[in-house]
Amino acid sequence: MVAKDYPIYLLIKRANCSLDEPSSRGCNSGRELEEPSTKRVKPLSRVTSLASLIPPVKAAPLKRIGQTLQRSISFRSDCRPEIMAPRPWGRQIPPAITKRRDSKLWSETFDLGLGHMLSSKEIKRQEAIFELSQGEQDLIEDLKLAKKAYRDPMLKLSIMMEHELNQIFGTLDSLIPLHEDLLSRLREARKPDGLTDNVGHILVDWLPCLETYNSYCSNQVAAKALLDHKKQDHRVHDFLQRCLESPFSRKLDLWNFLDIPRSRLVKYPLLLREILKHTANDHPDRQHLDEAINMIQSIVADINTQTGESECRYYKERLLYLESGQKDLLIDSSRILSCHGELKNNRGAKLHVFLFQDVLVITRAITQNEQLWYQLYRQPIPVKDLEWEDLQDGEMRLGGSIRGAFSNHERTKNFFRVVFRSGGQLQSHSFQASDAFNKQQWLNCIRQAKEAVVSAESEPARESQVDRVRQCAPPRDCLDCSMMDTTEDSLDLSTECPQT
């Protein structure tokens, strides 16, 4: 087109646009037509964190299980995926397409012509072994992702201090070579045709390495508390939010990735039992699998105990006493935290209640020096003196008779009461749980703690009474004594020894 023909071209173009639909591209009303430009226009949005530059990672959804280490119950739902609340400084970002990990089966991975040669039980055994191996590979990918996509960028961008990241991520780096070692051994044991004959001996040799998990799991309580605190920083919140909305995260937040090793740990007994279930009785691998199952159960139990004690120590160190009289030796001597969580009293005040091994502690959560502490609200209550009562919905009166008369039914639901005697006077506290299930958890924990204390006290008392009855028994040359059965089970411990 020559320059002199350009005005005629514009007239024809405008005439065509008037006949087209109003929404036709290139015919925007009220705007002057411009000649198409060949310039590349940069997007207006700015990259505010390195998370936007992280390329998608080929990873799939983690197969999580409901089991966790059987440590003290926390009513904060720490392991559930957290949906971050929008912050005033946060910018809404459209959700990205989530990358999902395809589930892989042994029979689908290896194109074998052995299907007709293997029994159904052997095929299931190979599937279980392959699931163990595939789970190791997925775990390694997730641990590397946590380091590459979260820790390293936050350190490089100075979003957190190095010592804070060391506290949150703990010994995560040391777990990667450990699981790479197991994966390498399992792959070496696999034949070129995809079959694996024996894995029990591999596991027996490798499982002692899992003691490394002691330090990692024991650190998780402090790590979670620090991470929750740092999320109040808008830079940390913005970074984690962008990661959560990126494809590589698979809708999992940072804590989900940090909790993956613990979830994997408790899955090992299930995986090994599944392999053993499909192993023939005369198979040479069966003895090693039995040994491996006993080993992993012992390791998990030991880590469970140490994690519980670590959690107990952490919260005892977070207690603040208003006066020295509030300090209780039962708190210092407790090594087990049975349960803890937020409850409300009958006036609606939020309290954080701890049920330790031998004492119930009622506190109020406060922030001091940018740290969360728990200030004692009432004098600690010994569990041995504690009684409890399940209150029916509507039975509780809130904040006095006048306010209670006008309260609705929703405000009087899920209450229970603890009662104890102090200084000759009967005292009580009424607590409201978040829901019926939460209330039942509390009642179960209180009952179990009371039974444990009573049982511990009754054992020495029973042994003492047995000794006293034996000491006070008449001599054997007594005629009445010749017909007496003095075995421990036949003694009537309710009978006091006569005073001499």
Side-chain angles (χ1 to χ4, degrees):
M1 179 186 300
V2 294
K4 64 178 182 179
D5 296 330
Y6 189 74
I8 301 176
Y9 168 80
L10 289 180
L11 290 176
I12 298 174
K13 186 67 176 177
R14 288 170 182 169
N16 291 337
C17 287
S18 63
L19 298 176
D20 293 337
E21 294 292 333
S23 60
S24 298
R25 295 182 180 179
C27 302
N28 297 326
S29 59
R31 297 179 58 184
E32 293 184 3
L33 290 173
E34 298 177 357
E35 189 172 2
S37 175
T38 58
K39 293 183 178 180
R40 297 181 63 182
V41 180
K42 295 183 178 179
L44 297 178
S45 60
R46 295 186 303 170
V47 178
T48 60
S49 74
L50 192 59
S52 301
L53 300 176
I54 300 174
V57 178
K58 294 183 179 180
L62 178 69
K63 297 180 181 177
R64 298 180 62 85
I65 59 175
Q67 291 82 0
T68 58
L69 286 176
Q70 296 177 355
R71 55 185 192 176
S72 57
I73 301 173
S74 173
F75 300 119
R76 295 165 51 190
S77 302
D78 288 344
C79 297
R80 295 180 183 177
E82 179 181 355
I83 300 178
M84 301 181 186
R87 302 299 177 97
W89 57 77
R91 183 167 60 90
Q92 295 297 326
I93 304 173
I97 300 175
T98 304
K99 297 283 185 180
R100 297 216 174 262
R101 183 181 289 155
D102 296 329
S103 59
K104 297 180 181 179
L105 299 175
W106 174 79
S107 56
E108 296 175 350
T109 304
F110 298 95
D111 186 14
L112 305 175
L114 301 175
H116 62 284
M117 301 173 57
L118 299 177
S119 65
S120 174
K121 187 172 185 177
E122 180 59 28
I123 292 177
K124 291 180 180 179
R125 182 173 184 272
Q126 294 299 322
E127 294 286 5
I129 295 174
F130 183 76
E131 182 180 358
L132 172 65
S133 176
Q134 187 63 32
E136 291 300 302
Q137 180 176 334
D138 294 343
L139 174 63
I140 294 168
E141 290 178 0
D142 286 332
L143 296 183
K144 290 182 177 180
L145 177 65
K147 183 178 184 299
K148 178 181 178 181
Y150 289 92
R151 190 189 188 283
D152 293 349
M154 284 193 287
L155 179 61
K156 185 174 182 179
L157 295 172
S158 300
I159 294 177
M160 284 195 206
M161 302 295 290
E162 185 173 4
H163 72 275
E164 294 174 330
L165 292 171
N166 291 339
Q167 176 72 64
I168 292 174
F169 284 82
T171 58
L172 186 72
D173 287 349
S174 66
L175 303 181
I176 297 176
L178 186 152
H179 292 280
E180 286 179 334
D181 179 35
L182 176 59
L183 179 60
S184 175
R185 297 189 191 190
L186 293 174
R187 286 177 172 174
E188 288 177 0
R190 184 187 300 158
K191 297 179 180 179
D193 59 5
L195 290 174
T196 303
D197 291 334
N198 301 291
V199 294
H201 66 289
I202 296 176
L203 295 167
V204 170
D205 291 339
W206 178 81
L207 283 175
C209 300
L210 288 179
E211 293 181 358
T212 308
Y213 270 75
N214 273 319
S215 58
Y216 183 79
C217 293
S218 297
N219 177 65
Q220 281 198 303
V221 177
K224 182 65 165 62
L226 179 58
L227 179 60
D228 289 341
H229 173 69
K230 295 301 295 183
K231 285 179 182 178
Q232 304 303 316
D233 185 335
H234 70 90
R235 296 186 68 217
V236 176
H237 177 272
D238 177 68
F239 178 86
L240 296 179
Q241 186 69 22
R242 289 174 180 272
C243 289
L244 185 63
E245 293 165 349
S246 299
F248 69 82
S249 72
R250 310 192 312 271
K251 302 297 184 183
L252 301 176
D253 68 358
L254 174 56
W255 183 250
N256 289 131
F257 284 101
L258 296 178
D259 195 51
I260 284 174
R262 190 166 63 93
S263 300
R264 181 65 178 175
L265 182 65
V266 298
K267 193 174 182 180
Y268 282 123
L270 303 177
L271 292 170
L272 299 190
R273 289 194 193 99
E274 186 67 16
I275 298 174
L276 181 64
K277 176 182 176 182
H278 302 295
T279 301
N281 294 332
D282 58 348
H283 198 289
D285 203 26
R286 190 171 185 88
Q287 182 179 354
H288 286 117
L289 287 173
D290 282 326
E291 184 180 355
I293 291 175
N294 292 332
M295 289 178 62
I296 187 60
Q297 288 176 337
S298 176
I299 292 172
V300 170
D302 181 56
I303 295 176
N304 171 38
T305 300
Q306 295 194 34
T307 303
E309 292 178 356
S310 175
E311 181 183 25
C312 185
R313 287 194 303 270
Y314 173 82
Y315 284 111
K316 286 196 299 184
E317 293 170 356
R318 292 286 167 178
L319 295 179
L320 290 180
Y321 301 92
L322 294 177
E323 54 187 23
S324 59
Q326 289 181 322
K327 294 185 177 180
D328 197 308
L329 292 178
L330 293 176
I331 298 178
D332 295 334
S333 62
S334 292
R335 299 177 59 190
I336 299 174
L337 178 59
S338 299
C339 58
H340 72 97
E342 185 179 280
L343 296 171
K344 294 181 180 179
N345 63 10
N346 60 337
R347 296 182 180 275
K350 293 182 179 180
L351 304 172
H352 200 99
V353 182
F354 297 90
L355 180 60
F356 290 98
Q357 180 178 347
D358 298 311
V359 62
L360 183 75
V361 182
I362 306 172
T363 71
R364 288 185 293 191
I366 64 171
T367 301
Q368 189 175 88
N369 297 328
E370 298 185 354
Q371 297 292 329
L372 187 63
W373 298 85
Y374 302 94
Q375 187 180 74
L376 263 69
Y377 180 71
R378 290 289 185 267
Q379 192 67 23
I381 307 169
V383 171
K384 65 177 183 178
D385 301 330
L386 195 63
E387 300 294 337
W388 65 93
E389 181 183 2
D390 185 359
L391 301 179
Q392 300 299 318
D393 293 346
E395 183 177 348
M396 189 67 205
R397 302 180 73 86
L398 303 180
S401 58
I402 298 179
R403 288 180 60 188
F406 293 96
S407 63
N408 56 41
H409 182 65
E410 290 296 323
R411 293 181 57 201
T412 59
K413 294 176 63 176
N414 307 317
F415 268 93
F416 66 94
R417 180 184 292 128
V418 295
V419 183
F420 65 101
R421 189 172 296 278
S422 176
Q425 296 182 349
L426 196 65
Q427 300 185 23
S428 67
H429 294 288
S430 298
F431 299 113
Q432 184 181 29
S434 57
D435 51 46
F437 177 73
N438 186 258
K439 180 179 78 169
Q440 194 59 47
Q441 281 186 307
W442 272 104
L443 294 175
N444 291 340
C445 282
I446 294 174
R447 184 183 68 255
Q448 293 169 5
K450 181 64 177 285
E451 291 174 352
V453 170
V454 172
S455 177
E457 290 181 346
S458 63
E459 276 300 319
R462 186 173 186 272
E463 294 175 0
S464 176
Q465 287 182 347
V466 170
D467 293 338
R468 291 177 60 192
V469 170
R470 285 173 173 170
Q471 292 173 3
C472 297
R476 273 293 181 178
D477 56 1
C478 176
L479 179 64
D480 295 336
C481 186
S482 61
M483 302 298 294
M484 181 182 297
D485 184 0
T486 58
T487 59
E488 181 177 333
D489 293 338
S490 66
L491 294 176
D492 184 2
L493 301 182
S494 62
T495 303
E496 292 291 338
C497 179
Q499 301 295 325
T500 56

